[in-house]
Amino acid sequence: MAHRYDKNPFAEEEEEVNPFADPAVRGKASGQSKFGGGLFSTNTPSAPPASNSRLSPLPPEPAGLYYDHEATIDIPLDTASGGSHYQDLKKKEKELQAKEADLRRREQEVKRKEEAAARAGIFLEEKNWPPFFPIIHHDIANDIPIHLQRLQYVAFSTLLGLVLCLLWNIIAVTAAWIRGEGVRIWFLAIIYFIAGVPGAYVLWYRPLYRAFRKESALRFGWFFLFYLLHIGFCIFAAVAPPIVFRGKSLTGILPAVDLVDGHALVGIFYFIGFGLFCVESVISIWVIQQVYSYFRGSGKAAEMKREAARGAMRAAM
């Protein structure tokens, strides 16, 4: 008795096809259940593929189909225009390098000249003071050594103090002239201001500035000579003895006492001028003492004597 699962002996012989032999249908086969044929399923995955399969294999895909991003594309360039543009860039680059080298050479030359001038005692001075109308070079912070800057500032304050004293002297003498003291004292006050301010700068302030800057012994001697004259003038102005036009061309103590009785306001102006000249005299005396102490302590006194001796010998020869 035949088993019910036996093959039909009268059926036509069919060729067995392994559906897993072709990768195109492998995905479909994977979706089917492993137990679709039961225990007696004949479509086992271990069956060898048939040599004469009815399914034709898929055509091979071209290489690089999914790797287009790695492909290189040659873009033809206009070699004539590209080469000329490259040459222009190289030419401009060479011109810029030449200009840069020329500027660097000029800067080095200017720096060398400045250093040579500084060694020779010649300094390039740019006018920078006063800021609103520069007429002189004045830069204590950069020109003067740091240990001498305080003394130089105080000396500069005496120069400004002299300007203030002479300017106030003009105001007080103008008030006295209006009160009937004569026009000659006013002209003298103007002359004191016009001659005193630039004279003080040229004769004693600038020599001290350059002496501190260049450590010149002869400039120290020049400063001492004219600064003593400056101190003498301030003391004389503070007293104002009746030597020139009864002394009223200067705001000293004697004309102040003389004027306060008849013209109280003019007398007060003269007393203020007397106080200004006194303060100027005291500060100036302190400055010359400090400068002389530095002059002796730094050995500039001996150097000045040697330079004076050499100058005398040259003159004698």
Side-chain angles (χ1 to χ4, degrees):
M1 182 175 177
H3 195 274
R4 61 177 179 175
Y5 291 105
D6 288 342
K7 293 182 180 181
N8 187 1
F10 301 100
E12 295 180 359
E13 290 290 331
E14 295 181 358
E15 294 180 356
E16 294 182 358
V17 178
N18 186 3
F20 300 98
D22 191 3
V25 297
R26 187 176 299 173
K28 295 181 180 180
S30 62
Q32 296 177 355
S33 175
K34 296 179 180 180
F35 307 101
L39 295 174
F40 302 98
S41 176
T42 58
N43 296 331
T44 58
S46 59
S51 59
N52 51 354
S53 175
R54 293 181 179 181
L55 297 177
S56 62
L58 294 176
E61 296 176 353
L65 178 62
Y66 300 104
Y67 302 94
D68 291 342
H69 61 277
E70 296 180 357
T72 57
I73 303 175
D74 295 333
I75 300 175
L77 297 175
D78 188 357
T79 56
S81 61
S84 61
H85 182 64
Y86 178 75
Q87 291 178 357
D88 292 340
L89 291 178
K90 295 294 289 184
K91 184 178 180 181
K92 291 181 179 179
E93 183 180 359
K94 289 181 180 179
E95 291 178 355
L96 292 176
Q97 290 177 355
K99 290 181 179 180
E100 184 179 358
D102 185 58
L103 288 176
R104 191 181 299 108
R105 181 182 57 80
R106 291 182 180 181
E107 290 178 357
Q108 292 177 356
E109 184 177 357
V110 171
K111 186 177 180 180
R112 181 180 56 81
K113 290 181 179 180
E114 290 179 353
E115 292 176 352
R119 287 192 299 268
I122 303 173
F123 292 91
L124 300 177
E125 297 182 348
E126 180 183 358
K127 296 178 180 180
N128 60 351
W129 197 90
F132 55 88
F133 186 70
I135 55 177
I136 62 173
H137 174 79
H138 192 261
D139 192 3
I140 296 177
N142 294 323
D143 294 342
I144 307 301
I146 190 170
H147 63 283
L148 297 173
Q149 289 183 6
R150 176 173 174 269
L151 183 55
Q152 186 66 49
Y153 277 119
V154 178
F156 183 61
S157 70
T158 60
L159 177 64
L160 298 181
L162 180 64
V163 175
L164 177 61
C165 290
L166 295 178
L167 184 61
W168 183 260
N169 185 75
I170 293 176
I171 296 173
V173 172
T174 302
W177 170 38
I178 293 173
R179 291 295 182 177
E181 294 298 332
V183 69
R184 290 178 297 180
I185 60 175
W186 185 81
F187 278 115
L188 285 175
I190 295 296
I191 292 173
Y192 295 153
F193 183 83
I194 293 175
V197 173
Y201 173 76
V202 173
L203 294 176
W204 58 263
Y205 182 75
R206 188 171 64 179
L208 178 65
Y209 189 93
R210 293 182 175 178
F212 281 159
R213 186 180 183 182
K214 295 186 281 189
E215 298 290 335
S216 175
L218 291 178
R219 295 186 185 275
F220 275 109
W222 191 267
F223 163 76
F224 287 131
L225 174 62
F226 287 99
Y227 203 67
L228 285 173
L229 294 178
H230 160 74
I231 294 174
F233 172 78
C234 291
I235 295 174
F236 179 84
V239 179
I243 298 175
V244 181
F245 299 110
R246 293 178 298 170
K248 293 181 180 178
S249 61
L250 293 170
T251 56
I253 184 64
L254 295 180
V257 173
D258 187 23
L259 292 171
V260 73
D261 293 334
H263 308 287
L265 182 61
V266 177
I268 292 173
F269 281 4
Y270 271 69
F271 273 112
I272 294 174
F274 162 71
L276 292 176
F277 277 115
C278 287
V279 173
E280 177 72 11
S281 301
V282 172
I283 298 177
S284 299
I285 292 172
W286 182 85
V287 168
I288 198 170
Q289 288 178 345
Q290 297 298 317
V291 174
Y292 184 72
S293 299
Y294 172 76
F295 178 74
R296 291 294 299 273
S298 61
K300 296 300 177 183
E303 181 182 348
M304 182 177 177
K305 291 179 181 179
R306 291 193 298 269
E307 290 182 0
R310 287 195 296 267
M313 290 179 63
R314 287 195 296 267
M317 293 176 62

